[in-house]
Structures are given as structure tokens and as C-alpha cells.
Amino acid sequence: MGESTSPISVILVSSGSRGNKLLFRFPFQRGAEHPAAQASKPRSRYAVNSSGDTTEDQDGDSRDQCPLTDEQLVSGWVSRGDAGDSRRSALVWFSDVILATILATKSDMCGKKFELKIDNVRFVGHPTLLQHALGQVSKTDPSPKREMPTMILFNVVFALRANADPSVINCLHNLSRRIAIVLQHEERRCQYLTREAKLILAIQDEVSAMSETTEGPQSPFHHILPKCKLARDLKETYDSLCTTGVVRLHINNWLEVSFCLPHKIHYVATNFIPPEAIERSLKSIRPYHALLLLNDEKSLLNELPLDCSPALVRVIKTTSAVKNLQQLAQDADLALLQVFQLAAHLVYWGKAIIIYPLCENNVYMLSPNASVCLYSPLADAFSCQFRGHNLPSMLSKFSLPVSLSEFKNPLAPPVQETQLIQMVIWMLQHRLLIQLHTYVCLMVPPNEEDFRAQDEDMPFTARVGGRSLSTPNALSFGSPTSSDDMTLTSPSMDNSSAELIPGGDSPLNKRMTENLLASLLEHEREAILNVPAAQNPEDLRMFARLLHYFRGRHHLEEIMYNENMRRSQLLMLFDKFRSVLVVTSHEDPVISVFQSLLK
């Protein structure tokens, strides 16, 4: 996962009066080996070719290149001596001149996404124009006269493997665009980019002059790093993308650039979760969900920037694993929609996950990705936090689905119940448990006579894909509203309890019940009416009202919230109509995306 989501290199190029220049790139080679030593070593699949031993055509193509070995590749391009990283690069060596030529685009391409694929490497950036700032220097600036900037455009480029996921490419383009916007602003304000570029070019000229008197060429970037703040920011960006995926920069010690690569934060085992899946889950958040912080409140507040939203601080201080988002909005005195947005923000940055509020009816079981080693770091952390308890024995209690009510002991002190809640919260934070929800499907077997008639008249493909098998996916109850169509501010369904007049067996209620059942097949309607509980008009009305939930897409807690019903009422109804209903238990797809074990 790390290889496919981490960039190979970050490159800064510019174009101006001095032509196209490669100002900085990281990682870089500190020096070149002797060509004779290179020739005696085998060629690597992703070899980096030395620019000193390259014969270039006029079009920039390389011929008869002398490859570097894997050891040189590790110690040169990709290794970071301060970080101890030894990942191998897939970047083919391009000289600084070639990179500056192909990455410093024309002015017409500025302000747009730049993407270029060459062999095994894909370059992604956002070229930005600086020429329009020239007229603002002499007219409106009361400060002493500045030098006219010689730079026309610049481009912060990330080099990726050619087979990188499109979502990774889009994310790194977004980061390049953010850095470009900040650099453009600082250039207008104080010519920051021009000053840094002059410093870099001066160091490059100095190193170039020194290399003529020494044995071989030296890398100027090694000398640029300690002297140039912009170069150190780009190096920090590369290091952060390769490790945590979270980038926090202060360009020119003034403007902040914050970025999160979700592939480094959200992943299942060794496979990353696509940002599209995360966005779909965040759009499906409902008021009955809860927000679970992955870090303690104090450390999370310390990570926030100084100018963060006060509403975000209020949500972090008010949130609780036993409190749903609707209660959280009331306690924090915020609009529910704003709480949804803040919750989605915390989840996207990997600071929280969405769960169902803890209660005694919740059913949990051990996650298939959970680590059950006796002496794992998680087991040590658990023992340190909960003295007298060990993680393996606690996880063994969840080998099979178990409700929290089964751990409740009426004779135990309240402290024991509080500690149990804290341990469950800890295991949820570390993705060791998954929650199972109850789903209901209408499953009516077809009549034998109808089944024979349909078998004779209907082709095989239609029999398998049609309604004759009465599968949950094939049921069509009129035009029901799915959970994806529900709005955040109006979670009630179309066929809600308000549509039926409570009490009495009125003709209006009879007619509405018949209309709700009319969307079923004849044998399905007969099977439902033959259930003994259907003789009770109120039970039949309730069943008909909830019919659109019985497709296996809405879990019990969602029905309770939407219809304002008690759990006992629904369970009693399911029991009465158990001959035509199938009850299953599995994860909620909205929150199952985040219920996976972190590394």
C-alpha cells in the first residue's frame, strides 16, 4: 500500500528571463559513483541513470545510458539519511535540464491540472502564473521600490509511479494546487518566491563552479536544504506524504497549508479505502449515529490550529460514545447540519469514526482483522490502561456475537459497568470489534401451481432474475424510499406513522392498508393475510406501514428512529409475522468502512 500511494519525488521548476530552471527536487543524489564501478554491477528493473554518462538526442531522449544499481538507487534518490527510509524508487533518471524543460509548461497551461506520463513515471502538478503581478508592484506599493520579478511561472510537481491510483493522483494534484496558491500569494505580498529562487540559483551556480575544480559533479540540493526555507518545506512535504499522509506547512512562516492523504489514514488490512467510498459513507451519516474520537480530547485539541473553528472545539469537548449526533447538536448548541459537517471533517482526517451509540442492546463480535497475539503492543497498551485485565481474555468474550447486556451484573458496583464501557470504547477505537445490526427481509415462498406456470412460460434467465424467487433484492414494494434518498434534516420515510389514523378500525385505515399491500404479488399478499397476527387490524396496519423497510437495507435502529418506535414493539411484530419474515444480522455498511484494524 505504501509503495503505491507514496510519491517518488517532489520537484520545483520555474520559467522566467533565465529560461526554464529546476530549482529543487527531493530526494536527490549526494554524489556520483565512478562509471567503472557502475558498469560492473547488474542493472535494476527501476534503474536510475547517471546524467554524466548519458548521450542525449536533440529531442531529449537518452541513448546508451549507464544504469545505477539498487544500492545506488537506495542511497541516492530515495533514501533519506535523516529518516532511515530504504524504499526503492521507480523514477527513471532525468537530468535537471530535461526535467525543467518538460515540467515548466507554457503560460496557456497555467491554472490547470498538469499530468504527464513518461515510461514508468507520472508527473502531476498545477502550473501557476506570476506575470500578472508585475503591474501591482510600482503603482500601489508604498514601500521602497522592489526589483521587478524575473519569474513568469512555477510548478510544484509530484512524481508518481505510472500505475498509481487515480484517486492518489487527484489528491496530490490538490496538494500541488494548494501550495501554488500560497506561494502565489506570498509572491504578491513580499516576493517570497523570487527571493528563494535567487538564493537557490546562486547556490547552484556556486556548486557548479566548485565542481569544475573538484574530481566530479556535486549535488547542489544538499547545500540548498540548510539555507532555503522553501526547500525544507518541500522536503517536509515529501517526508509527510511517505509516512503519515498528513502535511502541515507554514510557508514563509506565515500561511498554513494543511493536507490529508486519506489513503495513508483509512485502510483495511493492506488495502486502502478509496476516497469515494469514504465520501459515500460520510454522506450516509444519520442523526442516530455517534462520533467516537480516536484520540483523547486533550491531545486532539492541542493538534488544532490556533484559528480553528470554535464550533469544532465545542463538538470535540461535547462528543461522547453514548450520545448520538442529534443529542450532540443540542448539547453543543449547534445546527444538526453543522454537526454533520464537523463530524465528517474529523472522520476524513482520521481523528474520529462513526459508530452507533453504545447501549446495552448493542451486539458486538471480534473483528476478522483483529490481532489476537498474546504479547502484541496493543495487549501491552490495554494492560497499562486497564489494570488487572488483559486483552486476549477480553477479546475471547466477543468470539461469538454478544450483547452488552449479557455483561451486566445487577450486584456489581457501578464502577464495573463504567469500566466495561471504557474497555469497549478502547477496542472500538483500535478496530478490534465490529457491531452487528438486525435486518429484516420479507421472504414468501411461491405457490407450487404459480411456480410451475411461471417455469413453463418464463425463460430461465427471467426466472432467476425475476420476482418469482422472492429474493430480497428482487422485491419491489411500490416505490419505496431507500436510505440513500433520506435527507439529513428530514429522516422520516414517505409511508410514516402519521399517515394512518391511530386507534379504531376506520374505513380510511382499511383502505390505506389495502393500498400498501396492493404492491405485493398475489401469493405474497395471501401469505401475509394468512398469518394469525394479520387478523388483528392494528398489527396488520403496522406491518403494512413498515413494509418498505423489509428489504434487508434498513437495520432495526434505523427503523426505530425513523418511525419513533420502541425496540420491543418491533421485535414483537417480527415475532408475530416470523412465518413470512427472515431476520439477519450483519454490519451497517455506513460504518463498516471504518471498522477495520489499523496497523
Side-chain angles (χ1 to χ4, degrees):
M1 182 194 64
E3 290 291 333
S4 60
T5 58
S6 300
I8 301 172
S9 176
V10 58
I11 306 168
L12 174 63
V13 297
S14 68
S15 178
S17 59
R18 294 184 57 177
N20 299 329
K21 295 291 182 180
L22 189 145
L23 299 178
F24 181 77
R25 68 177 171 186
F26 188 86
F28 52 83
Q29 278 190 307
R30 298 178 182 271
E33 279 194 341
H34 194 274
Q38 298 177 6
S40 62
K41 297 182 180 180
R43 181 182 179 88
S44 168
R45 178 185 177 187
Y46 296 117
V48 175
N49 297 319
S50 174
S51 60
D53 301 298
T54 302
T55 303
E56 297 179 359
D57 293 343
Q58 294 181 355
D59 58 356
D61 294 335
S62 300
R63 299 288 184 267
D64 299 330
Q65 298 171 339
C66 186
L68 293 181
T69 63
D70 288 347
E71 290 77 10
Q72 291 169 318
L73 200 154
V74 172
S75 63
W77 268 90
V78 185
S79 71
R80 292 169 291 163
D82 52 348
D85 190 288
S86 61
R87 254 182 295 100
R88 300 183 188 274
S89 170
L91 181 59
V92 179
W93 177 275
F94 296 97
S95 68
D96 294 352
V97 176
I98 294 178
L99 285 176
T101 302
I102 63 178
L103 300 181
T105 63
K106 296 182 179 180
S107 301
D108 297 340
M109 299 181 63
C110 290
K112 304 175 183 178
K113 180 180 179 181
F114 171 81
E115 184 174 347
L116 176 65
K117 176 182 176 296
I118 302 178
D119 293 335
N120 295 329
V121 185
R122 188 183 302 271
F123 300 95
V124 180
H126 191 84
T128 304
L129 195 65
L130 293 177
Q131 201 171 19
H132 58 273
L134 297 177
Q136 302 176 3
V137 175
S138 60
K139 294 183 179 179
T140 60
D141 189 9
S143 60
K145 186 176 181 181
R146 310 179 186 181
E147 296 182 8
M148 297 297 289
T150 58
M151 190 183 304
I152 298 176
L153 60 89
F154 69 95
N155 193 7
V156 179
V157 182
F158 293 98
L160 301 167
R161 288 163 180 79
N163 59 353
D165 191 88
S167 58
V168 178
I169 297 173
N170 292 333
C171 288
L172 291 185
H173 167 252
N174 185 24
L175 176 58
S176 175
R177 182 179 59 85
R178 294 187 184 190
I179 297 176
I181 292 174
V182 172
L183 290 178
Q184 186 184 50
H185 177 276
E186 287 301 281
E187 176 66 18
R188 291 177 177 178
R189 187 177 70 89
C190 59
Q191 288 187 311
Y192 170 71
L193 187 57
T194 298
R195 293 201 315 268
E196 294 291 286
K198 286 184 176 180
L199 175 62
I200 291 174
L201 293 175
I203 296 175
Q204 289 182 356
D205 293 341
E206 180 181 351
V207 172
S208 178
M210 292 172 54
S211 64
E212 295 178 357
T213 59
T214 57
E215 296 181 356
Q218 300 293 327
S219 171
F221 308 119
H222 176 62
H223 302 276
I224 291 173
L225 267 178
K227 298 180 181 179
C228 179
K229 173 68 166 55
L230 180 57
R232 293 195 297 272
D233 287 339
L234 293 177
K235 176 184 179 297
E236 181 182 351
T237 301
Y238 174 84
D239 292 339
S240 299
L241 290 174
C242 292
T243 53
T244 63
V246 177
V247 178
R248 296 183 183 276
L249 300 176
H250 283 84
I251 303 295
N252 196 21
N253 295 321
W254 185 253
L255 293 181
E256 182 179 7
V257 176
S258 298
F259 174 80
C260 167
L261 185 63
H263 309 76
K264 293 284 186 177
I265 298 177
H266 306 288
Y267 48 85
V268 181
T270 57
N271 299 321
F272 68 85
I273 304 174
E276 296 79 8
I278 300 174
E279 292 177 4
R280 283 195 302 268
S281 295
L282 294 180
K283 290 179 181 179
S284 301
I285 296 177
R286 295 293 177 257
Y288 53 79
H289 285 136
L291 187 67
L292 176 62
L293 300 179
L294 298 180
N295 300 321
D296 62 281
E297 176 186 321
K298 184 177 180 181
S299 62
L300 186 56
L301 291 175
N302 291 335
E303 294 180 10
L304 297 178
L306 297 176
D307 58 345
C308 70
S309 170
L312 181 61
V313 177
R314 207 182 311 168
V315 166
I316 294 175
K317 291 183 176 180
T318 313
T319 188
S320 171
V322 298
K323 186 186 302 182
N324 62 34
L325 296 180
Q326 190 171 22
Q327 295 172 337
L328 177 61
Q330 296 174 353
D331 295 344
D333 195 20
L334 296 171
L336 183 59
L337 184 59
Q338 187 177 11
V339 171
F340 283 145
Q341 295 171 345
L342 295 174
H345 176 77
L346 290 172
V347 170
Y348 186 83
W349 278 79
K351 304 302 180 182
I353 58 175
I354 298 298
I355 63 171
Y356 186 80
L358 265 69
C359 65
E360 62 180 12
N361 295 308
N362 287 7
V363 177
Y364 296 99
M365 71 173 296
L366 187 65
S367 171
N369 298 317
S371 174
V372 293
C373 299
L374 294 177
Y375 304 105
S376 65
L378 280 179
D380 296 338
F382 184 87
S383 300
C384 292
Q385 185 161 351
F386 304 101
R387 299 292 181 180
H389 298 273
N390 62 84
L391 184 60
S393 63
M394 192 65 190
L395 292 178
S396 65
K397 299 178 181 179
F398 295 92
S399 297
L400 297 176
V402 59
S403 173
L404 293 183
S405 60
E406 299 184 22
F407 296 97
K408 193 172 183 180
N409 185 1
L411 302 179
V415 179
Q416 185 175 343
E417 183 177 351
T418 303
Q419 189 180 41
L420 173 64
I421 295 176
Q422 295 300 324
M423 288 190 289
V424 172
I425 290 176
W426 190 93
M427 289 185 287
L428 288 174
Q429 287 176 331
H430 292 82
R431 318 299 212 275
L432 299 177
L433 298 180
I434 58 175
Q435 182 177 358
L436 302 181
H437 294 267
T438 301
Y439 292 81
V440 184
C441 298
L442 178 65
M443 191 73 68
V444 179
N447 295 332
E448 294 184 3
E449 297 180 358
D450 296 341
F451 187 73
R452 290 197 197 98
Q454 291 177 359
D455 276 350
E456 295 174 358
D457 301 337
M458 196 179 300
F460 175 76
T461 55
R463 291 201 306 270
V464 173
R467 296 164 51 94
S468 59
L469 297 181
S470 296
T471 57
N473 293 332
L475 297 178
S476 177
F477 306 140
S479 56
T481 305
S482 65
S483 58
D484 295 335
D485 299 329
M486 294 162 54
T487 60
L488 297 178
T489 56
S490 179
S492 60
M493 306 297 288
D494 292 339
N495 300 321
S496 62
S497 57
E499 296 181 3
L500 296 178
I501 301 176
D505 190 14
S506 64
L508 179 59
N509 283 340
K510 282 185 177 181
R511 196 180 311 117
M512 296 184 69
T513 303
E514 293 175 357
N515 291 337
L516 291 173
L517 296 176
S519 59
L520 300 175
L521 294 177
E522 182 64 27
H523 74 276
E524 293 173 337
R525 187 162 52 251
E526 289 179 1
I528 293 174
L529 295 177
N530 289 334
V531 176
Q535 306 305 317
N536 187 337
E538 290 194 4
D539 290 341
L540 184 59
R541 278 201 306 272
M542 184 182 299
F543 183 89
R545 193 182 80 215
L546 303 178
L547 193 58
H548 54 281
Y549 291 110
F550 301 153
R551 297 175 296 155
R553 299 181 183 178
H554 308 275
H555 55 73
L556 186 62
E557 288 78 10
E558 182 179 356
I559 302 174
M560 291 167 52
Y561 178 84
N562 292 338
E563 297 295 334
N564 194 21
M565 298 179 66
R566 295 179 179 274
R567 183 185 300 268
S568 59
Q569 290 178 279
L570 290 175
L571 294 178
M572 188 179 301
L573 181 69
F574 298 162
D575 184 65
K576 290 179 179 179
F577 289 87
R578 62 182 178 274
S579 61
V580 293
L581 295 178
V582 175
V583 179
T584 60
S585 296
H586 58 82
E587 296 176 82
D588 182 0
V590 175
I591 62 178
S592 63
V593 176
F594 306 103
Q595 290 184 335
S596 56
L597 180 66
L598 287 174
K599 284 186 177 179

